[in-house]
Amino acid sequence: MSRAKTIQDFLRSDIIDIEELLSLALDFSKSSLYANPNHKISATELARLDILIQKRQSGEPFAYLSGSKGFYHLDFKVTTDTLIPRPETELLIDISLDLFDSSESIKVLDLGTGSGIIAITLADKCSNWKVSATDQSEGALEVAKSNAQNTATEIEFSHGNWLDAVPNQIFDLIISNPPYVKDNDPHLADLKFEPISALISGVDGLDDIRTIIEQAPKQLNSGGYLLLEHGYNQQKEIMRLMRESFIDVRGFQDNNSIDRATIGRIK
Ligand code: GLN
């Protein structure tokens, strides 16, 4: 019989994300993995690890295997009902925190909240901000609500399509990371485990952004802002669309110097 494999045997392999997969399968922290290189992996642990390795090798993102992903200063539960939080989206948080002081009593709306990252991060940082969040996916809203419960935040969640979910409410800041990928974008092949409804938005990827830019003005306080995340080649057109109802329209780049967000103030 071949000898039982040890942690070290796996750490020395070139299996993708092996450190993370071992931590998950064995319920060991990364430092315990390195502190116990000769730990013999039991049959149960091995069965668990094999399944995780197979799933990861078939392209399933690690966040769906572990069920969580860090964003800004918090950890969020994620499921296949939600996109996996992207570091690029942290830009929306930085812009928002620069726009208003945390002590101001403002009303903020996160449209298409997914796992709740934007709404919950801002509410957690700025306890005076009254934060609302919407999603058209009941599954995503469940995840967002459970993430909010893990913090001291009180967020008002509403189900529905963009601003139709919060009729007659007025905000100082409306933020969204909506779907913005083109229907047939080849890049979708790499995103096949994520919910397609959170990714694609018509032939140019701008269908939802057009809806939001059209709906938002009626639900912004005077001087209120609309802040959108978007794709690398969409900023020019979004700025053009926004200038019909907004002033001070500005574009931002993410940490990779890619055009990633646009903001406007209501006329
Ligand atoms: N930034 C994501 C990606 O292309 C897309 C997210 C979105 O459509 N909001 O990986």
Side-chain angles (χ1 to χ4, degrees):
M1 208 177 102
S2 63
R3 73 175 174 90
K5 284 201 168 173
T6 62
I7 287 180
Q8 184 162 245
D9 292 332
F10 279 97
L11 286 176
R12 282 182 180 151
S13 73
D14 57 3
I15 299 170
I16 180 170
D17 288 342
I18 190 60
E19 248 186 20
E20 288 79 4
L21 296 172
L22 275 169
S23 289
L24 197 57
L26 275 56
D27 198 16
F28 274 33
S29 67
K30 277 193 197 165
S31 52
S32 331
L33 290 179
Y34 288 95
N36 298 285
N38 299 319
H39 169 89
K40 290 193 171 51
I41 295 179
S42 74
T44 330
E45 288 170 338
L46 191 60
R48 227 174 8 234
L49 182 61
D50 274 343
I51 293 174
L52 290 170
I53 291 174
Q54 265 175 42
K55 287 188 174 178
R56 187 67 194 94
Q57 287 184 338
S58 77
E60 189 157 344
F62 182 75
Y64 287 145
L65 300 177
S66 66
S68 78
K69 179 81 183 174
F71 177 83
Y72 225 83
H73 64 303
L74 296 170
D75 260 319
F76 289 86
K77 167 182 166 181
V78 292
T79 74
T80 49
D81 279 318
T82 69
L83 280 190
I84 297 166
R86 311 283 204 265
E88 297 91 293
T89 305
E90 295 184 340
L91 175 63
L92 300 183
I93 305 295
D94 292 332
I95 297 169
S96 304
L97 295 175
D98 279 347
L99 222 46
F100 294 97
D101 198 85
S102 62
S103 62
E104 287 182 79
S105 298
I106 56 161
K107 283 193 74 182
V108 179
L109 174 65
D110 174 17
L111 289 172
T113 195
S115 58
I117 53 169
I118 297 172
I120 296 168
T121 302
L122 289 176
D124 195 66
K125 288 242 158 221
C126 308
S127 52
N128 279 332
W129 295 13
K130 190 164 177 343
V131 180
S132 303
T134 73
D135 211 286
Q136 50 81 36
S137 155
E138 300 268 19
L141 277 182
E142 286 312 307
V143 175
K145 284 177 189 171
S146 125
N147 278 322
Q149 275 164 11
N150 293 334
T151 66
T153 60
E154 275 181 40
I155 291 167
E156 194 168 307
F157 290 100
S158 307
H159 177 242
N161 206 26
W162 306 125
L163 283 136
D164 299 342
V166 284
N168 310 315
Q169 290 195 49
I170 305 286
F171 302 91
D172 301 291
L173 171 61
I174 298 177
I175 311 172
S176 187
N177 172 18
Y180 55 70
V181 178
K182 290 189 288 187
D183 281 345
N184 294 314
D185 196 311
H187 173 65
L188 290 167
D190 301 329
L191 304 172
K192 61 176 188 286
F193 288 88
E194 301 196 60
I196 193 83
S197 63
L199 288 167
I200 61 168
S201 192
V203 289
D204 60 356
L206 288 170
D207 281 4
D208 290 292
I209 285 181
R210 275 187 287 265
T211 303
I212 295 169
I213 293 176
E214 198 184 301
Q215 291 187 329
K218 294 183 284 302
Q219 293 187 244
L220 279 170
N221 257 327
S222 85
Y225 294 89
L226 173 63
L227 171 60
L228 297 171
E229 180 174 321
H230 51 70
Y232 71 97
N233 58 355
Q234 296 173 327
Q235 196 165 64
K236 197 165 159 235
E237 175 61 6
I238 291 172
M239 287 182 136
R240 192 189 68 77
L241 291 166
M242 270 205 189
R243 286 196 183 104
E244 290 172 17
S245 320
F246 294 84
I247 54 172
D248 297 342
V249 175
R250 276 183 295 155
F252 294 84
Q253 295 189 328
D254 64 23
N255 282 336
N256 297 315
S257 305
I258 291 171
D259 290 342
R260 184 59 68 198
T262 297
I263 193 169
R265 193 153 62 90
I266 196 71
K267 272 185 189 167

